[in-house]
Amino acid sequence: MQIYDIYQPRERRTRRALLICNTKFKHLRQRDGAEVDVKEMTKLLEGLGYNVECHEDKTSQEMTTVMKKFADHKDHLTSDSTFLVFMSHGMSTGICGTKSNGTTDILSFNTIYENFNNKHCRALMGKPKVVIIQCCRGDNIGSVQIRDSIDPEMPTSTSDGWRCVELQGSKTREAHLESDFATLYSSTPDTVSWRSPTEGSVFIQRLVEQFRNHAFNSDLQEMFRKVQRSFENFPRQLPTQERTTMLKKFYLFPGL
């Protein structure tokens, strides 16, 4: 079994995580409960050995600027991985900035991958880049009514590799433009994500719970599946893994 290496002992390892959370908007509803998500996600990542850089209430352009600066951070050279966490309102193509009206000021999902691909973030080349996105991806409810003997309970929440080639006699190493990403979205395309004004989003609650319970013995994508399975009895929402290009298993090894 191939797994991603941990390059440094804990005392010399400089793991960094980026967390961007938009709560207050000029035109859209305030995301009540988001502060709980920030607190719980920060606590989880710090417990896993990451120095969490947190930014709140940014426009799409400001989010792009923050990502570019984070991608250039020298600590990635002595890190073995990173987490990129985004929480906001959203739509099918991206994440809403604070000036969005639902169609303007949108950070494209593609921009995340472009800023951290192997061309623009060489320090994280060959290292796991974990993307967590909590936002609605449309207005549809993620369930369908099926005649059954028991009606499911409905939630009371609000929505929210290498190869070498010979070129003219000289050996050149060629790499994938984009690799080593693993992404978990809070919902399937075109559907809403649910959030409690007091307890935070259902997705972040369950992700934190599964990581705390299983990070010591499960690889990342197995934990993603555990998060997805935790929604089996919550038919309005189902997290989804997309744009995942990990070539090995990634174990977080908490405590090491």
Side-chain angles (χ1 to χ4, degrees):
M1 177 183 65
Q2 287 192 317
I3 65 173
Y4 284 98
D5 293 327
I6 292 181
Y7 298 109
Q8 302 280 347
R10 191 179 181 93
E11 61 272 14
R12 294 207 303 270
R13 193 164 61 232
T14 54
R15 285 178 169 176
R16 296 189 71 86
L18 176 64
L19 193 161
I20 298 177
C21 179
N22 290 337
T23 304
K24 299 177 181 178
F25 299 82
K26 185 175 180 180
H27 305 290
L28 304 176
R29 287 178 302 173
Q30 181 168 308
R31 297 180 60 250
D32 294 328
E35 69 281 359
V36 179
D37 291 342
V38 171
K39 178 182 176 182
E40 291 302 312
M41 199 71 203
T42 299
K43 189 188 304 184
L44 173 69
L45 291 172
E46 287 178 346
L48 293 170
Y50 291 87
N51 181 351
V52 181
E53 182 178 317
C54 186
H55 298 265
E56 298 191 54
D57 297 334
K58 301 294 182 184
T59 65
S60 59
Q61 184 56 55
E62 288 170 339
M63 287 190 279
T64 299
T65 300
V66 165
M67 283 193 290
K68 289 180 183 296
K69 185 176 180 180
F70 184 80
D72 288 338
H73 204 291
K74 61 181 177 57
D75 278 359
H76 295 315
L77 292 167
T78 45
S79 176
D80 54 20
S81 57
T82 192
F83 272 74
L84 308 167
V85 183
F86 300 86
M87 307 175 185
S88 186
H89 288 304
M91 55 182 298
S92 60
T93 58
I95 300 163
C96 293
T98 52
K99 294 182 180 179
S100 177
N101 61 10
T103 57
T104 59
D105 192 24
I106 303 295
L107 176 74
S108 168
F109 295 130
N110 284 335
T111 305
I112 300 169
Y113 302 95
E114 289 169 1
N115 277 284
F116 292 94
N117 67 21
N118 293 329
K119 179 179 180 180
H120 295 122
C121 188
R122 296 292 299 276
L124 286 171
M125 194 173 193
K127 302 174 183 179
K129 295 166 279 285
V130 185
V131 182
I132 305 293
I133 298 177
Q134 161 59 42
C135 72
C136 292
R137 303 176 69 187
D139 298 323
N140 297 329
I141 302 297
S143 62
V144 60
Q145 294 298 318
I146 299 174
R147 187 179 299 276
D148 202 355
S149 58
I150 300 175
D151 292 329
E153 293 184 4
M154 292 302 179
T156 55
S157 301
T158 57
S159 63
D160 191 46
W162 308 106
R163 70 184 178 96
C164 291
V165 295
E166 294 287 342
L167 294 177
Q168 296 181 346
S170 62
K171 185 172 288 187
T172 301
R173 188 172 67 174
E174 194 172 37
H176 297 104
L177 175 62
E178 181 177 310
S179 65
D180 309 292
F181 281 97
T183 306
L184 190 63
Y185 286 87
S186 57
S187 63
T188 51
D190 303 315
T191 63
V192 298
S193 295
W194 295 88
R195 172 175 37 83
S196 161
T198 57
E199 298 180 356
S201 66
V202 180
F203 171 64
I204 296 297
Q205 289 175 46
R206 297 188 182 192
L207 183 147
V208 168
E209 179 184 15
Q210 295 300 323
F211 272 55
R212 284 179 175 160
N213 290 338
H214 301 288
F216 75 98
N217 67 353
S218 297
D219 69 274
L220 180 81
Q221 287 172 276
E222 177 57 30
M223 286 192 287
F224 278 2
R225 284 189 289 272
K226 290 179 186 295
V227 175
Q228 291 174 293
R229 283 198 294 270
S230 74
F231 281 77
E232 281 183 323
N233 295 318
F234 194 93
R236 289 192 172 187
Q237 181 179 345
L238 184 63
T240 180
Q241 299 186 52
E242 296 179 29
R243 204 157 173 169
T244 294
T245 54
M246 281 199 170
L247 305 177
K248 307 174 187 177
K249 290 188 175 182
F250 177 39
Y251 287 89
L252 286 156
F253 296 117
L256 293 183

